[in-house]
Amino acid sequence: MIYTRAFSVPVWASAALGGFATLIFGVITLADALKVLAMVWDSTFVLVGLIIIAMALEKMGFFDTLASKIILSCARYSDGYRINTLKFFAIMMVFGLFVATFLANDGAILVLTPLMFAIFSKTNQEFNSPLVAFLIFFGFLSDFGSNGLIISNLTNIITAKLFNISFGEYFGSMILAQCFAFIAACVIFWAILIRKLPKVLKFHLPSRQMGKFDFIITFGLLISLPFGSAIFGAMGLPISGFILIVAVIAIMMQKSGKFELFSKAPFGVVIFSIGLFVMVYGVGMAGILEFLRLNIHTLVNLDRFTSMLGIAVGSSIGSALINNLPMVMLGDLALRDFGADVGLVYSHLLGCNIGSKLTPIGSLATLLWLVSLKSRGVNIKLLDYFKLSFIFSFGVLIAAVCGLWIGEKLDI
């Protein structure tokens, strides 16, 4: 139902119906549902806050202003602003990794998608156009680049909380895996998409611009997100608390339509997330967790690299089929009950974060991305998506697991 949207049923309603059914038929108890709620409420409100922030920034013209500054700083003027494609790609891939790391995968999608439309405002929207090529690049990089910090992905937050992994411990263990994933993603995207573009790209400055003071304040709010989240986490406070404070500030900065913006806040995401988690927890109680534990037992008896890759691939497939948020919870519970070491937990996370891109329903970031593209008139055919996702996802996943394995060998 989530994928087909039969009878135009809202996405949140499908998940809520499934969660409610598990309670009605006694698959789980109310106590189990409350336990799930305790696990996921913080990460869910982080997503809601990020969406509100992105909506507020777009309404204020932040992305148009940022696009102008990027164009002016790296392009030369000659009948329009022009820049070498390779140079632009290099700048954008570093910028994209920064955004995905510090604003999380969902935040990255919500920032980078309108930014690309602002930068390529005068270009066509065909599949082989520069606009669509960079939209696809950032659509995938948002998840591929979300492994470096705990706050980079909701799956990371959930897993770190369950296994009591500190901010520094997580970063030290995953940094090499993230570097390998980033390099592999850039090489694969260049080979398949970017190198086919014209050698020189042409831009026009967006007409809408923010004042200098408003831009600095708004940019400061974005920069504050990772640091404020880290401080709240270190103090034992909900990370969503800081994100929602920033969201309220962004709403109050609007010169008009403050209530309208608040009324458009995606609180349906909360119902979707909780309903989906409750439903999947019920599935786990019905025997899936035991199935996962048996497979983990089989994999840990193999050599170290194969076991790590096997866990990652299995988590990828699960995430692609049922979404990475419920899959990360099921995998976390199975790994915890089995007593798996932290290396396998990180492999599981890599599979959930990277492999979720195998299908359009694999992550909330992908769903947000495709909805955003469709609302702006860009439609990516399902067959084209699958062709790209298979190559990109498995290529990047193998590289990331190699980085994790090497880091473990070198005790990084």
Side-chain angles (χ1 to χ4, degrees):
M1 289 181 69
I2 291 173
Y3 181 70
T4 59
R5 300 283 302 278
F7 307 110
S8 299
V9 175
V11 170
W12 62 264
S14 303
L17 181 63
F20 187 67
T22 60
L23 280 170
I24 291 298
F25 293 106
V27 178
I28 65 171
T29 65
L30 181 60
D32 291 327
L34 293 175
K35 186 190 302 183
V36 173
L37 178 61
M39 290 175 60
V40 305
W41 72 267
D42 188 28
S43 58
T44 301
F45 278 104
V46 167
L47 176 59
V48 171
L50 290 173
I51 294 175
I52 293 173
I53 292 168
M55 290 167 57
L57 297 189
E58 185 169 11
K59 186 177 179 183
M60 293 166 65
F62 174 79
F63 299 115
D64 287 337
T65 307
L66 181 59
S68 296
K69 293 185 180 298
I70 291 174
I71 292 171
L72 290 171
S73 64
C74 63
R76 57 182 177 81
Y77 187 82
S78 177
D79 187 28
Y81 291 90
R82 301 174 185 271
I83 186 173
N84 177 272
T85 301
L86 178 58
K87 178 183 176 182
F88 183 74
F89 177 64
I91 294 170
M92 287 293 99
M93 68 185 190
V94 174
F95 178 72
L97 178 64
F98 174 84
V99 174
T101 299
F102 290 102
L103 297 185
N105 59 332
D106 304 301
I109 281 290
L110 295 167
V111 168
L112 296 171
T113 300
L115 178 62
M116 286 301 100
F117 278 101
I119 289 178
F120 293 100
S121 58
K122 302 293 183 180
T123 60
N124 66 66
Q125 299 182 353
E126 296 175 1
F127 185 75
N128 59 352
S129 67
L131 168 62
V132 175
F134 278 96
L135 284 171
I136 292 173
F137 172 63
F138 283 130
F140 280 85
L141 186 63
S142 63
D143 280 311
F144 294 170
S146 66
N147 306 293
L149 300 176
I150 287 178
I151 62 170
S152 300
N153 201 312
L154 302 186
T155 57
N156 303 347
I157 298 172
I158 293 168
T159 301
K161 185 175 182 179
L162 186 65
F163 289 95
N164 295 314
I165 301 172
S166 69
F167 202 89
E169 180 187 354
Y170 180 93
F171 175 76
S173 299
M174 290 288 267
I175 182 61
L176 199 58
Q178 180 60 86
C179 289
F180 273 54
F182 174 64
I183 293 170
C186 293
V187 170
I188 295 172
F189 274 102
W190 173 261
I192 295 179
L193 286 178
I194 309 300
R195 69 180 181 87
K196 297 179 181 179
L197 299 179
K199 291 184 178 181
V200 177
L201 298 175
K202 184 178 179 181
F203 306 102
H204 297 276
L205 295 180
S207 57
R208 191 169 57 150
Q209 300 293 317
M210 292 179 70
K212 185 177 180 180
F213 178 76
D214 288 342
F215 179 79
I216 292 173
I217 295 297
T218 308
F219 192 78
L221 287 178
L222 282 179
I223 296 298
S224 74
L225 290 176
F227 300 105
S229 299
I231 293 171
F232 266 52
M235 295 172 62
L237 299 173
I239 294 175
S240 61
F242 181 77
I243 302 296
L244 290 174
I245 289 172
V246 175
V248 171
I249 294 173
I251 290 176
M252 297 309 296
M253 288 181 65
Q254 306 296 312
K255 291 181 171 60
S256 62
K258 295 181 179 66
F259 179 77
E260 178 188 358
L261 188 62
F262 182 80
S263 66
K264 292 181 179 178
F267 292 110
V269 171
V270 178
I271 302 174
F272 168 82
S273 180
I274 294 172
L276 190 60
F277 272 107
V278 169
M279 179 174 58
V280 172
Y281 187 84
V283 171
M285 296 295 287
I288 295 298
L289 283 179
E290 182 60 29
F291 172 77
L292 292 176
R293 283 192 287 266
L294 290 173
N295 279 276
I296 292 169
H297 183 270
T298 301
L299 288 170
V300 296
N301 291 322
L302 304 175
D303 67 272
R304 185 60 174 171
F305 178 78
T306 304
S307 64
M308 294 172 78
L309 183 61
I311 292 289
V313 171
S315 298
S316 296
I317 295 172
S319 297
L321 294 175
I322 65 170
N323 188 271
N324 65 345
L325 289 178
M327 183 61 207
V328 81
M329 184 180 73
L330 286 175
D332 285 350
L333 293 174
L335 288 165
R336 185 192 63 180
D337 293 346
F338 181 80
D341 62 82
V342 72
L344 296 182
V345 173
Y346 290 134
S347 299
H348 167 56
L349 264 183
L350 289 174
C352 291
N353 293 349
I354 297 172
S356 62
K357 270 292 191 279
L358 284 169
T359 64
I361 64 170
S363 75
L364 283 177
T366 308
L367 292 171
L368 290 171
W369 176 57
L370 291 174
V371 169
S372 179
L373 296 188
K374 188 174 182 180
S375 68
R376 291 173 166 86
V378 175
N379 290 297
I380 298 177
K381 295 179 181 178
L382 198 58
L383 182 60
D384 291 330
Y385 180 90
F386 281 127
K387 287 178 182 177
L388 296 171
S389 67
F390 183 84
I391 298 171
F392 294 159
S393 299
F394 281 119
V396 173
L397 180 63
I398 292 170
V401 174
C402 284
L404 183 65
W405 178 72
I406 292 172
E408 192 176 80
K409 286 286 186 181
L410 298 176
D411 195 25
I412 297 178

